[in-house]
Amino acid sequence: MLLALSSMGLVSCGKGIDLAGYAWTAEVVGNGDDGIDTPFSMAFVCNSEDSGVVFFSETYPDDPMPYGTAVRFSYTWDGDKGSFCLGDGSGISLPVYYEKGAEMPALVVDITPMREYFQRYATEYTLEKADYYSPQSVDGTHWGFSFDGGSALYSYVLDLGADTGILRLDCIGTEGDTSVVTWTITEYSYSKGIGRMKLRSDAFNVYFNGYFYMPDEHHLNFFDSENMLPMSR
């Protein structure tokens, strides 16, 4: 479902709030026809005055690795209302307005244009203002995420260099058998808290895009076109 969004890029000063330099987030629980409660989150990370990246994720109770995708967006804003345009100008446009009566600065976004992808969820969400971690550089940092998949222990490791890096998956079976899968980061950029990269599967020579941001100093959320890895130092 989220894979279709990956080909689709907020921020500015309204009359009362400055959106740039913050993440605007919402977390809800959706209940589908199957009766399964599904946590759903969105984070519009505003790392410039006119663009950013939005991160969507869904978590299912029987899957320890959330589904997720990241989409670049631009925006228009007249001080009270505007829109987030996902992609490169030809994607989906989401109406947004400033909720002036809220106790804390908040935006309301209408995701009705995305009902094809998020059918089980409401159409409007209140986005709360949150900080995100934006160091000058993440060169030389090391991140990991592990979970028990029942038949094996899965351990993801992300190592970032100055302009390249590697993503590795170690699978340790219950019988002690092990296997390793690696993806090489062939293109990499980092700017104002958001990392963007192109990765290549070393085994199959297949490329895909990835994004990440850091909600705080000790955590990094990595998204490709299908999954989300909640990583820690």
Side-chain angles (χ1 to χ4, degrees):
M1 178 178 67
L2 293 175
L3 180 62
L5 292 175
S6 62
S7 62
M8 298 191 302
L10 162 99
V11 217
S12 180
C13 294
K15 293 179 180 178
I17 57 174
D18 186 1
L19 305 185
Y22 296 97
W24 298 86
T25 67
E27 296 186 9
V28 298
V29 176
N31 184 269
D33 296 335
D34 52 10
I36 299 176
D37 290 338
T38 308
F40 171 61
S41 70
M42 62 184 81
F44 289 83
V45 180
C46 311
N47 73 329
S48 84
E49 293 292 335
D50 57 7
S51 64
V53 176
V54 57
F55 299 85
F56 296 105
S57 67
E58 293 179 289
T59 304
Y60 292 88
D62 58 349
D63 193 338
M65 187 165 61
Y67 293 93
T69 193
V71 185
R72 292 183 296 172
F73 67 89
S74 58
Y75 83 100
T76 61
W77 186 252
D78 70 2
D80 293 308
K81 62 185 182 299
S83 64
F84 302 159
C85 185
L86 307 187
D88 297 316
S90 59
I92 294 175
S93 182
L94 306 180
V96 60
Y97 65 89
Y98 171 37
E99 190 177 27
K100 295 180 179 179
E103 183 176 344
M104 298 292 290
L107 304 177
V108 176
V109 61
D110 184 354
I111 68 168
T112 301
M114 302 179 69
R115 297 301 288 169
E116 177 183 351
Y117 308 103
F118 302 127
Q119 297 179 10
R120 73 176 70 197
Y121 301 104
T123 57
E124 285 194 345
Y125 288 99
T126 298
L127 303 174
E128 298 181 349
K129 180 180 179 180
D131 291 320
Y132 66 95
Y133 188 58
S134 181
Q136 184 174 359
S137 171
V138 290
D139 297 354
T141 57
H142 175 88
W143 307 87
F145 168 61
S146 300
F147 63 88
D148 189 343
S151 60
L153 175 65
Y154 297 88
S155 179
Y156 286 88
V157 172
L158 176 65
D159 286 307
L160 296 172
D163 55 9
T164 186
I166 192 168
L167 176 65
R168 189 181 77 246
L169 169 61
D170 296 324
C171 304
I172 305 174
T174 55
E175 303 298 323
D177 53 312
T178 63
S179 61
V180 178
V181 180
T182 58
W183 298 268
T184 299
I185 300 173
T186 60
E187 297 178 17
Y188 171 64
S189 64
Y190 172 80
S191 176
K192 299 179 181 179
I194 291 180
R196 181 185 181 192
M197 61 186 72
K198 177 177 286 188
L199 300 96
R200 185 191 72 240
S201 167
D202 292 349
F204 302 104
N205 199 35
V206 175
Y207 290 83
F208 64 94
N209 294 318
Y211 288 88
F212 69 80
Y213 81 100
M214 290 162 281
D216 56 56
E217 182 179 0
H218 301 289
H219 297 90
L220 180 148
N221 293 335
F222 173 85
F223 294 70
D224 59 21
S225 299
E226 195 169 356
N227 301 301
M228 179 266 204
L229 303 179
M231 312 187 88
S232 302
R233 287 185 187 271

